[in-house]
Amino acid sequence: MNNKPIYVTQPYLPPIEEFVPYLEQIWQNKVLTNGGPMHQQLEKELAEYLGVNQVVLFNNGTNALLTALQALDLSGEVITTPYSFVATTNSLVWNNLTPVFVDIDPVTLNLDPAKIEAAISEKTTAIMPVHCYGNSCDVQAIQAIADKHGLKVLYDAAHAFGVQDESGSILLHGDLSVLSFHATKVFSTFEGGAIICHDEATKQRINQLKNFGIIDEVTINDAGINGKMSEVNAAFGLLQLKHIQTALAARKVVDEFYREHLAKIPGINILTSTAESVRNYSYFPVLVTEKYPLSRDELYEKLKQNNVFARRYFYPLISHFPMYSGLSSANAKNLIVAEDATKKVLCLPIFPGMSEDDVKKVILNIMDGAL
Ligand SMILES: *Cc1c(COP(=O)(O)O)cnc(C)c1O
């Protein structure tokens, strides 16, 4: 077997010839950004593909999160998960909001609704859960708590492109959801993101906030930001969308191969979520438990020595980073499930162009560690 490095992900790139006509069109249009034709077309096609009402494109997911929090007009404290990428919590702090960490559910590794109410105070204004790995949060339970306490719900849905539950897109839940189209995500525009909202008025407000707060040539009412996606990124999104079914189908093959072969290895627990009717196979997380002879970090190193670059998503917990570790909600006693998961989790390589030989190589390495 060859020994070229296998990374946790690799972007899906359609044939470059297919991208050239889009660039020629941009050169003809002479519109490079500011909500040009490619941008408008992508918002329309994404809304149709995802089955949502309104899509507002952004130049990255983090700016989309920052702007979504602005649009919800929040103050005080926001309940969130420590088990995510750091951008989730950073976006709260950039909005002068105080993150309050709540523990996760041991099966989905998403915010545990049973623990949310105890963390609500007079200052709480919102809940910001993450659909981690594209696995759906308990959206019904979260909404019930939000309704009872008059809280907004903003989903960090950076991993959840195209995921559906029995009621349709999981992006339909909550007040707003945010997608990331970063190079490492299932659907990419190199850098990019979007806010999903439910009505035209909210879209208009977000459009103003993402464009410096500009209303018209002489009117600016908000301290907005520059969150606009360029025409080149939007054009790439249109092309990616033509290939998305192929890309997702290829991921599914890898996912199924892993499931079949890893299920036999004692101590390797495959994370399984059942709330979705359509999944996106964005990550392949396993928990390396006590029944496996190596610790998670030992397996991670072993794979690395064999040129397999699995990643510890999410380790460390956000609550372990120095800017957050002083918060009372960051106390490990408050986050028992998250503290356990962060020590055991390993995300295995999964991407559309991953060869069967490469998937086998990862599996054989893990089997070898079990001997
Ligand atoms: C990728 C990611 C983000 C940030 O998105 P960018 O497009 O990279 O800014 C936010 N939250 C989560 C959970 C992510 O995985």
Side-chain angles (χ1 to χ4, degrees):
M1 242 179 253
N2 74 47
N3 201 32
K4 71 174 166 47
I6 305 171
Y7 297 106
V8 72
T9 193
Q10 195 177 283
Y12 181 90
L13 291 168
I16 196 164
E17 314 82 74
E18 291 185 28
F19 193 42
V20 175
Y22 290 87
L23 293 174
E24 286 169 348
Q25 186 65 53
I26 293 171
W27 258 244
Q28 242 174 48
N29 295 341
K30 296 191 166 45
V31 178
L32 307 188
T33 184
N34 285 4
M38 297 290 177
H39 185 283
Q40 285 173 37
Q41 186 67 19
L42 184 58
E43 285 191 340
K44 187 166 155 274
E45 289 191 20
L46 278 176
E48 277 164 25
Y49 176 77
L50 296 169
V52 299
N53 204 325
Q54 306 287 344
V55 175
V56 191
L57 292 175
F58 275 80
N59 47 12
N60 60 60
T62 303
N63 275 336
L65 283 174
L66 290 174
T67 309
L69 290 164
Q70 288 275 319
L72 293 174
D73 213 0
L74 304 176
S75 60
E77 297 176 355
V78 175
I79 288 172
T80 191
T81 168
Y83 192 83
S84 180
F85 180 57
V86 72
T88 310
T89 309
N90 286 354
S91 67
L92 291 172
V93 173
W94 272 53
N95 275 285
N96 231 354
L97 297 162
T98 305
V100 175
F101 297 117
V102 163
D103 207 1
I104 55 175
D105 173 90
V107 175
T108 63
L109 307 187
N110 287 326
L111 206 53
D112 185 348
K115 311 240 174 85
I116 291 176
E117 276 196 292
I120 294 175
S121 80
E122 268 150 38
K123 293 184 193 150
T124 311
T125 55
I127 308 172
M128 188 185 191
V130 179
H131 297 299
C132 198
Y133 313 125
N135 292 338
S136 178
C137 292
D138 188 343
V139 290
Q140 311 297 347
I142 290 170
Q143 195 59 53
I145 296 164
D147 290 344
K148 185 173 159 197
H149 297 272
L151 307 176
K152 294 285 201 306
V153 181
L154 166 60
Y155 282 103
D156 180 339
H159 301 175
F161 185 90
V163 176
Q164 296 184 21
D165 61 20
E166 74 280 349
S167 61
S169 171
I170 67 166
L171 307 171
L172 294 169
H173 301 290
D175 294 280
L176 299 173
S177 293
V178 167
L179 291 168
S180 166
F181 306 148
H182 182 256
T184 56
K185 307 299 206 272
V186 163
F187 172 85
S188 157
T189 58
F190 287 42
E191 290 268 6
I195 299 179
I196 308 303
C197 64
H198 311 311
D199 61 84
E200 181 71 42
T202 308
K203 175 167 184 168
Q204 225 174 59
R205 165 105 181 104
I206 296 168
N207 271 337
Q208 288 162 6
L209 286 169
K210 85 168 191 193
N211 187 31
F212 311 101
I214 293 174
I215 291 173
D216 61 43
E217 265 183 65
V218 292
T219 320
I220 298 179
N221 282 354
D222 282 293
I225 200 169
N226 181 357
K228 298 182 274 56
M229 177 184 279
S230 87
E231 287 291 275
V232 175
N233 297 94
F236 188 74
L238 287 168
L239 179 56
Q240 278 272 43
L241 204 49
K242 288 210 164 80
H243 289 263
I244 189 74
Q245 298 295 0
T246 313
L248 293 175
R251 285 177 175 277
K252 182 168 195 261
V253 172
V254 178
D255 181 283
E256 285 173 351
F257 203 88
Y258 273 139
R259 272 174 206 280
E260 187 190 335
H261 294 275
L262 294 177
K264 301 169 203 149
I265 306 178
I268 298 292
N269 287 6
I270 300 168
L271 211 72
T272 302
S273 172
T274 53
E276 306 80 32
S277 53
V278 178
R279 298 176 52 226
N280 68 6
Y281 315 98
S282 47
Y283 298 86
F284 198 90
V286 297
L287 298 178
V288 183
T289 69
E290 293 83 357
K291 291 196 187 104
Y292 189 78
L294 305 180
S295 71
R296 185 277 311 273
D297 286 341
E298 285 165 345
L299 177 57
Y300 166 80
E301 290 298 337
K302 175 186 167 63
L303 289 167
K304 214 156 117 176
Q305 273 156 25
N306 289 290
N307 254 354
V308 174
F309 297 90
R311 293 293 297 270
R312 293 166 292 186
Y313 299 143
F314 286 100
Y315 167 84
L317 293 180
I318 300 176
S319 50
H320 289 176
F321 294 124
M323 60 287 194
Y324 302 123
S325 59
L327 293 168
S328 62
S329 66
N331 191 317
K333 276 185 257 161
N334 184 48
L335 304 169
I336 291 168
V337 180
E339 295 282 349
D340 186 56
T342 196
K343 287 186 195 114
K344 291 179 178 160
V345 75
L346 196 59
C347 284
L348 304 180
I350 184 168
F351 51 88
M354 192 174 177
S355 70
E356 193 174 309
D357 275 354
D358 283 353
V359 186
K360 280 183 185 157
K361 180 178 165 184
V362 178
I363 294 166
L364 286 173
N365 266 287
I366 300 173
M367 283 179 165
D368 184 62
L371 298 177

